[in-house]
Amino acid sequence: RTGSLILMAQLKVTQIKSTIGNKRPARESVRSLGLKKIHQTVVVEDTPSNRGYVNTAAHLLSVETIEGA
């Protein structure tokens, strides 16, 4: 619709562990979320693809949901 505003939830993702020694899919998922360093935080849209990245590397990340930001 024209003029409608859809507020999507967002995810605040923080890398809490190193990707060194982890399998390639986990490393690539962290990188795809835009994270490069430990304790770096990014805010991404809550989409199925981003949820998949988070689930693949859940042991390396801390995730918070931001409603309607």
Side-chain angles (χ1 to χ4, degrees), residues 3-54:
S4 65
L5 179 64
I6 299 173
L7 296 176
M8 290 190 65
Q10 293 183 323
L11 300 174
K12 182 178 177 183
V13 184
T14 304
Q15 183 177 346
I16 57 171
K17 289 191 177 180
S18 174
T19 57
I20 295 173
N22 283 282
K23 300 214 180 241
R24 188 174 187 173
R27 291 194 315 261
E28 290 179 351
S29 294
V30 170
R31 194 78 168 108
S32 295
L33 288 167
L35 295 165
K36 298 178 184 178
K37 298 181 178 183
I38 298 175
H39 302 296
Q40 181 182 1
T41 302
V42 295
V43 177
V44 295
E45 293 295 323
D46 188 4
T47 61
S49 60
N50 286 338
R51 283 283 180 171
Y53 292 146
V54 167

